[in-house]
Amino acid sequence: MLSVSGLIMQFGGLRAVDDLSFDAKAGDITAVIGPNGAGKTTVFNCITGFYRPSGGSIDLAHPGGASYPLHTMPGHRIASAAKVARTFQNIRLFAGMTVLENLLVAQHNTLMAATGFGVLGVLGLGRYRAAEAAGIEKAKFWLDAIGLTARADDPAGALPYGAQRRLEIARAMCIDPVLLCLDEPAAGLNPRESDELNQLLMRIRDGGCSLLLIEHDMGVVMRISDHIVVLDHGKKISDGTPAQIRNDPAVIAAYLGEGEEDEVPV
Amino acid sequence: MTALLSLSGVTAFYGAIQALRGIDLTVEKGEIVTLIGANGAGKSTLMMTICGSPRARSGQIIHEGQDITQWPTHLIMRRRIAQAPEGRRIFNRMTVHENLLMGAEVAGRADTADGLEQVFTLFPRLKERISQRGGTLSGGEQQMLAIGRALMSRPTLLLLDEPSLGLAPLVVRQIFGAIRDLNRTTGLTVLLVEQNAYQALRLAHRGYVLVNGSITMAGTGSELLARPEIRAAYLEGGHT
Amino acid sequence: MTALRDAFLSALVALGLFAPLVGLVTTSGEHGLSLELRPIATAIVVGLVFFGRLVVLSRRGRTRTETTQANRALAERVTRAGKYVTPILLVAAVALPFTGSRYYIDLGTLVLTYIMLGWGLNIVVGLAGLLDLGYVAFYAVGAYSFALLATTFGLGFWTCLPLAGIFAAFAGIMLGFPVLRLRGDYLAIVTLAFGEIIRVVLINWVSLTNGPNGITGIPRPTLFGLAFSMDGGPGTFADFFNVEPAVIQRIIFLYYVILGLALLTNWVSLRLRRMPLGRAWEALREDEVACRSLGINVRNTKLTAFGIGAMFGGFAGAFFATRQAFISPESFTFIESATVLAIVVLGGLGSQLGVALAAIVMVGGLETLRDFLSFLGDQMDSPLFSGIASELPLYRMLIFGLALVVMMVLRPRGLVSGRTPSVALHKVKDIAPDLVAQGRG
């Protein structure tokens, strides 16, 4: 479904991503892991149009058959037309807007068309009222899914950290994506919260949306991923199922380290 | 004997919201003490309150026998207390090197070579990136930089707020190992907030459990690890 | 004791500052300029600082959080009072012409013009978070569009009004393109330059704009084709309604025109805020990167903010031209942009009511202060105050500036801070100002 081939991203003298190729299958949760500074977020930024790649191609095939060359599309079109949504490592919510407003902003393009691009909406004509009601229904669905219905009218910035993470995912889901890219969704979550996150992500996958995931919490990665890609210094060093990755000596040396997952060296 | 740091009856507010409700806590010299608790329990607020921002509304914070409750933050930080704050807060437009030097600056230390070497031994990655601007680092590298900058001031008390956030498993292990080494070799005292309660409790001499701005439990690391209610609330990731 | 010492030090600083500023005055005597000392005036100012400092220190006992809480309580009271303030202001605005006082109606017209400009700029600065220091450019474009169309093609006010708005909106979009990628300080500087460029073009393009001499003979608006002329001939307002022609009729009519235009601006802004477009503006102010990730076309959204904000500036400009019947580049200097921006900031970014209150304070208050000071001066006939009394009105700007500083210290996010959500699932709860982003451009 997503096919990255020969991707290169150069910043001045630094080659952050170096001839990277991998595929993510439809209906899969694909995890991208690797040491800090390996270029994982850079890959995400290329896929979601925040960076224009220096070389290579990124192609997305929709289940319906349409295909989109993401490496040539402007950022907002990648979200609105190619339907690729993302979240950010350091949560980027609209802090001064309510939870509900956050979810409605995410439906901007649908709702905007219903207002006749503003003109009819101001005059109170057209089908905006119905469209907004539908938008609120969709927001309600996701509020329910992330357990924040009771806090719908609170400002997003006042939510506890874990709830902000969930809200960011729900907001991304409100653009009806076919591919959701999550940048460290479990960072800063306690074990219980990461477990809830696992449930949410699997529910999203089962709803038909493919996921691409950057994560350091192996409890999340190993439990829910169907496929793992390992990067180091901008290159792919391994690629396979969780079981394969867990036992790959190259991955253990560069990333996982020896011994038990939770072990602290004494 | 007097504790290195002791808090008694400390309350703090964020706006109208009471974040801390009468905290009593002591950290002895040479100890590693950890705070565990859910997101929003007030762990980070407690760390920030020790540094004077937000200022404690009531109660007392004593550091080395001196009441620092009403002190301004910059004076508190000159008492060789260092913090790697939540959210990294590195200087985006300064290079890695400059960021580290700023850490030494706060403590007014001219001799920084040793400090740099120590930081680069802990985080070789930062040495590779030494002349890059802080803002261009990856998230995990920024976290390393924030911890490195705190270490540069050669603190006697180090406040670490989720040091493992966004770091690769291998690096997390290195950091926890380094904290233990520093504590053993130099007697560095550490107050640690960490989501990964299991690792934190294994590392720490003692721990406090924070719920809704109050301390509900205290004990040695292994005592707390053994408590079933702790296991249920903070250690187990459910049953998938 | 320490408080006394502190207050004494403050007084000393004030003495150093005000001794030359207030204590010395040059008078032209027989031998040219001579210097006159005014110890009493200086003593009054220094004394004020001394006691003011004591009052501030006595309140210092309260911790910062208590002060914040007090502020919050005040904000809540203001919000609650706000429910009544809006209708009261509206009724007062509609009723004002019935006073029949030309002075008040003129002042009201002026205040309403600034309210309208403030509401227009509020779209750009308050909602979209784009700092615009050159808003006067659109005011000028609107005014000149109307003036030129009217004097060249003989079109009337109502025909030209939309055209003036469209031209100004185009100017807004023109400005928008080059500044799309700029933020904060850089955006402010470029918009400032844009305002100046428009003014300089108006001065130098003599063949079109008549340069510094300006344009005269701009027609007055009509009421459904009824002119307000003094001859009372057929087809005029006076003739149609069979009343004596009087200047006040036109003044009152103009007042209602600007009231209508201002209310239109307010209505459109309020509607847009609850539409996807308005929400996108606010989202842009909160986080531009997140907006892009949600498929919002940031470029178009910024341009519509600039365009719609400018359009209302253009409407106001057209009104200004028709009211004055004469315009010249001198009316469109940077100080106008600064005043309007100050109104928006003082009112509270994004708050419609705040902007209206701030405009009343800034424009109306300044005038009232002038009257009040003259009145006060007249009352002080004691020889003790000789020399100060007559000059009291000159301190108008000083007092006003001080009042603004004090107001911003007490309410750093403006008179009406905080944000009302545009939609609610259960119940609308106002959002504390410290969560709301102020925009970085």
Side-chain angles (χ1 to χ4, degrees):
Chain A
M1 160 182 208
L2 178 76
S3 155
V4 175
S5 80
L7 185 68
I8 294 171
M9 187 72 222
Q10 187 100 23
F11 296 108
L14 185 78
R15 189 165 270 210
V17 179
D18 192 0
D19 195 18
L20 173 72
S21 304
F22 72 90
D23 291 319
K25 281 207 275 299
D28 268 8
I29 296 181
T30 306
V32 179
I33 63 173
N36 299 111
K40 305 182 293 294
T41 300
T42 309
V43 172
F44 260 42
N45 284 339
C46 290
I47 294 173
T48 52
F50 281 80
Y51 295 154
R52 178 64 51 97
S54 319
S57 65
I58 306 168
D59 293 287
L60 181 80
H62 273 205
S67 113
Y68 299 86
L70 300 186
H71 54 285
T72 62
M73 291 170 70
H76 68 274
R77 297 277 304 156
I78 291 182
S80 60
K83 295 287 179 194
V84 176
R86 73 168 294 177
T87 65
F88 297 87
Q89 212 176 91
N90 39 352
I91 308 173
R92 284 179 174 274
L93 288 169
F94 306 122
M97 302 175 87
T98 66
V99 171
L100 180 63
E101 283 179 309
N102 268 273
L103 298 181
L104 287 178
V105 170
Q107 304 174 48
H108 176 81
N109 290 308
T110 327
L111 293 177
M112 192 68 187
T115 63
F117 296 91
V119 182
L120 296 177
V122 169
L123 299 174
L125 304 171
R127 53 204 169 77
Y128 176 64
R129 204 173 288 265
E132 191 182 61
I136 289 178
E137 277 312 308
K138 191 198 275 181
K140 271 183 177 166
F141 172 80
W142 283 108
L143 283 173
D144 187 50
I146 60 172
L148 283 180
T149 308
R151 304 207 60 176
D153 301 323
D154 289 339
L159 295 179
Y161 185 87
Q164 293 197 10
R165 283 260 176 230
R166 295 202 301 279
L167 175 59
E168 206 192 14
I169 295 172
R171 187 182 66 181
M173 287 310 293
C174 276
I175 76 165
D176 292 325
V178 296
L179 177 67
L180 174 63
C181 302
L182 302 160
D183 196 347
E184 295 193 28
L189 300 187
N190 62 35
R192 178 163 294 247
E193 288 169 326
S194 357
D195 201 58
E196 285 165 10
L197 178 77
N198 281 352
Q199 311 282 352
L200 177 65
L201 297 187
M202 298 214 278
R203 181 169 168 191
I204 288 172
R205 178 190 59 183
D206 298 341
C209 176
S210 313
L211 283 98
L212 197 62
L213 175 76
I214 294 177
E215 187 51 66
H216 288 302
D217 185 337
M218 287 304 113
V220 172
V221 171
M222 294 297 172
R223 237 174 269 161
I224 66 170
S225 309
D226 300 297
H227 177 79
I228 298 178
V229 177
V230 191
L231 300 190
D232 191 14
H233 287 101
K235 289 191 169 76
K236 185 167 82 178
I237 59 168
S238 187
D239 190 346
T241 64
Q244 287 165 344
I245 295 299
R246 204 197 303 261
N247 299 314
D248 185 329
V251 180
I252 291 172
Y255 182 66
L256 293 174
E258 300 287 343
E260 279 301 304
E261 239 173 62
D262 287 337
E263 203 68 33
V264 181
V266 177
Chain B
M1 76 166 281
T2 54
L4 181 70
L5 179 76
S6 76
L7 280 71
S8 55
V10 169
T11 62
F13 286 74
Y14 266 125
I17 300 155
Q18 182 163 13
L20 299 178
R21 305 165 187 273
I23 299 287
D24 297 309
L25 171 151
T26 55
V27 181
E28 302 290 343
K29 204 168 169 43
E31 262 191 326
I32 300 176
V33 174
T34 184
L35 290 170
I36 60 175
N39 271 313
K43 304 187 299 289
S44 295
T45 309
L46 180 52
M47 298 287 246
M48 295 303 286
T49 305
I50 293 170
C51 300
S53 163
R55 200 73 58 80
R57 167 85 71 93
S58 61
Q60 259 194 331
I61 303 172
I62 313 267
H63 179 246
E64 291 180 324
Q66 183 96 40
D67 185 346
I68 58 166
T69 320
Q70 295 297 328
W71 284 33
T73 303
H74 65 280
L75 291 183
I76 295 176
M77 301 319 273
R78 285 189 198 159
R79 298 179 63 88
R80 302 188 71 192
I81 298 176
Q83 191 188 25
E86 193 187 24
R88 293 149 194 177
R89 309 270 169 145
I90 59 160
F91 305 113
N92 279 328
R93 294 170 70 161
M94 291 184 170
T95 64
V96 167
H97 193 207
E98 286 167 330
N99 265 280
L100 291 173
L101 292 183
M102 285 306 289
E105 196 81 27
V106 172
R109 290 182 65 94
D111 167 35
T112 56
D114 288 358
L116 279 177
E117 199 172 291
Q118 183 195 355
V119 171
F120 289 148
T121 317
L122 182 57
F123 303 118
R125 191 88 207 176
L126 289 182
K127 197 169 188 178
E128 289 173 35
R129 303 269 194 240
I130 186 157
S131 54
Q132 239 175 279
R133 284 189 179 189
T136 67
L137 297 183
S138 84
E141 288 167 340
Q142 293 186 5
Q143 180 69 21
M144 297 178 197
L145 183 55
I147 298 170
R149 187 181 57 186
L151 286 173
M152 284 299 288
S153 67
R154 297 300 186 85
T156 52
L157 173 60
L158 180 62
L159 308 176
L160 287 175
D161 198 345
E162 292 201 36
S164 72
L165 191 72
L167 292 183
L170 190 61
V171 181
V172 173
R173 229 172 288 186
Q174 283 168 0
I175 288 180
F176 276 67
I179 293 172
R180 173 158 296 178
D181 287 348
L182 283 170
N183 172 261
R184 286 200 180 145
T185 54
T186 67
L188 174 71
T189 311
V190 182
L191 183 59
L192 172 74
V193 163
E194 181 54 60
Q195 283 300 340
N196 191 334
Y198 182 73
Q199 278 195 345
L201 286 173
R202 285 197 45 147
L203 175 72
H205 298 107
R206 288 190 304 116
Y208 290 92
V209 180
L210 208 57
V211 177
N212 257 329
S214 310
I215 286 173
T216 56
M217 238 183 279
T220 65
S222 42
E223 267 169 26
L224 289 177
L225 268 179
R227 296 266 189 114
E229 60 266 44
I230 300 273
R231 296 200 84 95
Y234 305 110
L235 298 179
E236 272 151 36
H239 314 278
T240 17
Chain C
M1 209 52 228
T2 48
L4 273 179
R5 201 186 61 190
D6 196 330
F8 178 72
L9 282 176
S10 308
L12 213 60
V13 171
L15 182 67
L17 188 64
F18 289 112
L21 257 157
V22 179
L24 301 178
V25 67
T26 49
T27 49
S28 46
E30 293 153 27
H31 317 288
L33 284 178
S34 64
L35 210 57
E36 191 184 299
L37 295 177
R38 285 194 316 197
I40 294 171
T42 320
I44 292 174
V45 176
V46 173
L48 278 177
V49 169
F50 181 79
F51 288 108
R53 182 70 188 157
L54 274 184
V55 170
V56 169
L57 285 174
S58 71
R59 290 165 62 97
R60 175 75 53 93
R62 307 196 301 168
T63 62
R64 191 191 288 168
T65 31
E66 276 165 33
T67 324
T68 329
Q69 273 194 323
N71 280 349
R72 210 172 280 261
L74 179 72
E76 223 159 81
R77 276 205 299 280
V78 169
T79 318
R80 243 177 296 142
K83 291 197 183 74
Y84 306 103
V85 171
T86 312
I88 289 173
L89 280 182
L90 199 60
V91 168
V94 173
L96 183 78
F98 293 103
T99 59
S101 149
R102 175 156 185 189
Y103 172 75
Y104 282 122
I105 298 171
D106 271 338
L107 184 58
T109 308
L110 188 66
V111 169
L112 278 170
T113 311
Y114 278 100
I115 289 181
M116 178 166 174
L117 285 171
W119 279 338
L121 184 61
N122 199 20
I123 292 176
V124 183
V125 181
L127 294 183
L130 303 160
L131 184 53
D132 184 351
L133 287 182
Y135 193 59
V136 74
F138 313 124
Y139 192 43
V141 168
Y144 269 88
S145 306
F146 166 58
L148 289 172
L149 286 170
T151 53
T152 317
F153 302 106
L155 298 173
F157 175 72
W158 295 109
T159 324
C160 293
L161 184 69
L163 291 175
I166 289 170
F167 280 124
F170 268 117
I173 291 170
M174 240 168 61
L175 165 71
F177 263 109
V179 302
L180 275 174
R181 294 156 59 88
L182 302 181
R183 300 167 161 280
D185 313 347
Y186 297 92
L187 175 66
I189 294 294
V190 174
T191 52
L192 172 74
F194 186 76
E196 286 303 289
I197 288 170
I198 295 279
R199 194 174 61 87
V200 170
V201 166
L202 291 178
I203 292 177
N204 289 292
W205 195 352
V206 179
S207 60
L208 182 73
T209 66
N210 202 21
N213 297 328
I215 299 174
T216 50
I218 301 166
R220 304 295 194 163
T222 56
L223 176 69
F224 298 110
L226 299 173
F228 289 87
S229 70
M230 285 309 105
D231 58 17
T236 64
F237 176 83
D239 175 59
F240 187 83
F241 288 98
N242 202 13
V243 289
E244 276 298 300
V247 180
I248 193 82
Q249 289 159 1
R250 191 184 70 220
I251 308 274
I252 293 176
F253 175 63
L254 281 171
Y255 175 84
Y256 280 120
V257 168
I258 187 67
L259 181 62
L261 285 174
L263 289 178
L264 175 78
T265 312
N266 184 38
W267 181 74
V268 171
S269 308
L270 286 178
R271 292 281 305 197
L272 278 176
R273 245 197 104 226
R274 287 194 297 262
M275 298 274 142
L277 184 58
R279 273 190 218 122
W281 288 338
E282 292 202 77
L284 205 60
R285 176 193 67 206
E286 298 284 325
D287 196 322
E288 190 178 322
V289 171
C291 279
R292 274 210 283 167
S293 82
L294 296 171
I296 293 173
N297 188 327
V298 170
R299 184 192 66 200
N300 292 358
T301 310
K302 276 191 183 176
L303 290 181
T304 50
F306 273 121
I308 292 177
M311 180 179 77
F312 289 118
F315 287 157
F319 173 79
F320 175 77
T322 193
R323 178 181 168 225
Q324 302 287 349
F326 162 76
I327 51 168
S328 76
E330 253 170 66
S331 309
F332 307 105
T333 51
F334 171 65
I335 191 71
E336 296 299 318
S337 294
T339 308
V340 178
L341 185 66
I343 286 172
V344 174
V345 172
L346 183 68
L349 292 176
S351 161
Q352 299 291 105
L353 176 61
V355 167
L357 290 175
I360 293 171
V361 171
M362 290 265 309
V363 183
L366 203 56
E367 288 299 310
T368 319
L369 190 64
R370 194 212 309 266
D371 296 345
F372 175 72
L373 288 175
S374 319
F375 171 77
L376 206 64
D378 295 343
Q379 305 305 306
M380 299 199 302
D381 47 5
S382 149
L384 189 66
F385 299 114
S386 71
I388 313 171
S390 60
E391 285 167 13
L392 213 48
L394 298 181
Y395 291 107
R396 180 172 71 112
M397 281 316 234
L398 188 70
I399 294 172
F400 187 66
L402 194 68
L404 286 189
V405 171
V406 168
M407 199 128 76
M408 289 323 278
V409 167
L410 292 179
R411 297 196 61 75
R413 296 292 294 259
L415 289 172
V416 183
S417 50
R419 172 177 178 274
T420 311
S422 61
V423 63
L425 200 56
H426 314 290
K427 182 173 166 290
V428 176
K429 291 182 262 188
D430 276 353
I431 295 171
D434 41 353
L435 285 173
V436 181
Q438 301 181 49
R440 305 170 39 236

